[in-house]
Amino acid sequence: MEFRIDSGVLTDAVAWAARVLPARSPMPVLGGLLLEARDGRLRVSGLDHEASARVEVEADTDVEGRALVLGRRLLDICKVLPRSRTELAVEGARLSVGSGGARFGLSLLPLDDYPAPPELPEVRGLVDGDAFAAAVGQVAVAAGRDDSLPVLTGIRLALDGTTMTLAATDRYRYAVRTLEWEPGADARDEPADVVVPARRLTEIARSLVNTGPATLALDGGSVGFESGGLRTTTRLLDGRLPRHDKLFALGDHALAVTDRVPLTEAVKRVAVVAEGDSPVRLTFTPTSIHLQAGYEDDVASQHLPATLTGPDTLTVAFNPGYLLDALTTLDTSKVHFHLLGPGQRALLTDGAVGPDASHRHLLMSVKPLV
């Protein structure tokens, strides 16, 4: 195998594939990246027991062939290569890498021991890469971090007709985002409801930015995406997230509306005196919102314009980190608080409530201390 490629293109391709490599594995070959050069293309593939990644880029192929090398070592080399045309060639039992006068040699791993990469699951349709990445980012903040409850570390991906629903919860908050997608003819009447690891799906979504439409593939055990020469698969999590329908049905409630960006900055400002998870208190009146954090002598406060429909005044309190996550993932100028009262559920939306709201973020308020 022998080919030439721009060092920047090589680095990006290797970094993309290496992201799925396991930190530790009883099978050393799983730490390898498979390089395949043929027909003016370079394919770089990596996998572990949970996920796979493959990328194809243009390269000047002199001798076709395959080589398996330690992926993280190759990535380390790529990061320090001079930015110029890079030559790679198999020389005996090693891969030679040369660029701008610098040369490296990497031992080859046995190809016969390398597992066959998983096939792409059944293709279901297309989703816009930019819209999908934005939606995943909006719900991923609510995914759990506790590996003792694996299903809560995932993002629900549900398909129903032309609507895709993404949702995540860590039991203290619940984010839901809907978007349009284009199902294939065979998948239009086949609903799906699965849970994908949040960390994996976030990485995948970020890579789909500026790639145009992405192919979505799904079966009972894995999900896959393909776009712009990138292909990746990841295993699904067992179980289901708690249903959000009843949680989001608030019934009779108060509605407060204020400008999102000024409120976000105000929460950041007053939260500097909030120790640990001590809450930020929000007192709504028909014309304003009063923010306050801290106790005794260490306090901070700020007033902002707002409207309140319902009671004459209403005070709620939130974990400042959770509140900021919700505010920063909304992408509208106004934020609507649908409030039941202190210590109860509060729904933040982009305007509408119910099925008309494409992005909804549920928080549990805490009873503010006097």
Side-chain angles (χ1 to χ4, degrees), residues 18-25 27 30-32 47-49 72 200:
R19 67 189 178 80
V20 301
L21 298 180
R24 297 181 182 85
S25 173
M27 298 177 60
L30 287 184
L47 58 83
D48 69 1
H49 296 296
R72 299 193 189 282
R200 295 286 193 192

Side-chain angles (χ1 to χ4, degrees), residues 2 13 33 43 47 193 197 203 244 250 254 317 323 330 339 364:
E2 184 175 346
L33 286 179
R43 176 184 292 178
L47 58 83
D193 197 338
E203 291 176 346
H244 65 270
L250 301 184
L323 179 57
L330 288 167
L339 303 168
M364 285 302 300

Side-chain angles (χ1 to χ4, degrees), residues 88-171:
L88 294 91
V90 172
E91 299 175 349
R94 72 176 186 178
L95 177 71
S96 171
V97 183
S99 180
R103 297 195 65 81
F104 300 86
L106 274 174
S107 299
L108 298 178
L109 298 174
L111 281 168
D112 293 341
D113 296 339
Y114 195 66
E119 295 293 330
L120 197 69
E122 177 188 355
V123 173
R124 293 297 190 96
L126 298 173
V127 62
D128 180 78
D130 290 342
F132 182 73
V136 170
Q138 288 175 312
V139 302
V141 296
R145 307 291 190 270
D146 185 356
D147 290 332
S148 65
L149 296 169
V151 71
L152 294 185
T153 66
I155 292 176
R156 178 190 177 209
L157 192 160
L159 306 175
D160 187 5
T162 59
T163 300
M164 175 186 295
T165 301
L166 300 170
T169 180
D170 60 3
R171 296 181 298 177

Side-chain angles (χ1 to χ4, degrees), residues 170-348:
D170 60 3
R171 296 181 298 177
Y172 305 104
R173 47 190 171 161
Y174 207 134
V176 176
R177 177 71 160 83
T178 58
L179 68 157
E180 294 297 306
W181 78 300
E182 185 181 335
D186 296 336
R188 188 172 295 274
D189 298 323
E190 285 189 40
D193 197 338
V194 299
V195 181
V196 188
R199 182 177 66 84
R200 295 286 193 192
L201 191 60
T202 299
E203 291 176 346
I204 292 169
R206 288 172 178 166
S207 70
L208 296 179
V209 174
N210 297 326
T211 63
T215 297
L216 168 63
L218 183 66
D219 59 22
S222 63
V223 63
F225 294 86
E226 187 170 23
S227 181
L230 306 174
R231 172 186 287 190
T232 185
T233 65
T234 188
R235 289 185 182 273
L236 302 174
L237 293 173
D238 293 329
R240 292 287 183 267
L241 293 185
R243 301 295 296 188
H244 65 270
D245 309 71
K246 292 183 178 180
L247 285 173
F248 283 33
L250 301 184
D252 187 28
H253 63 276
L255 174 64
V257 181
T258 189
D259 291 325
R260 183 183 64 86
V261 173
L263 177 60
T264 303
E265 295 303 315
V267 173
K268 292 178 182 178
R269 192 171 295 120
V270 302
V272 298
V273 299
E275 294 185 5
D277 292 330
S278 62
V280 170
R281 300 179 293 284
L282 284 67
T283 299
F284 293 96
T285 73
T287 59
S288 68
I289 175 176
H290 177 70
L291 289 81
Q292 186 175 0
Y295 301 104
E296 297 181 349
D297 293 331
D298 296 328
V299 294
S301 64
Q302 184 170 348
H303 278 86
L304 293 172
T307 62
L308 176 65
T309 304
D312 292 334
T313 182
L314 180 60
T315 299
V316 291
F318 300 103
N319 175 301
Y322 292 173
L323 179 57
L324 283 172
D325 282 342
L327 292 172
T328 54
T329 55
L330 288 167
D331 57 4
T332 52
S333 61
K334 299 284 187 180
V335 56
H336 291 62
F337 287 82
H338 305 266
L339 303 168
L340 290 175
Q344 301 188 60
R345 305 189 307 279
L347 188 63
L348 280 66

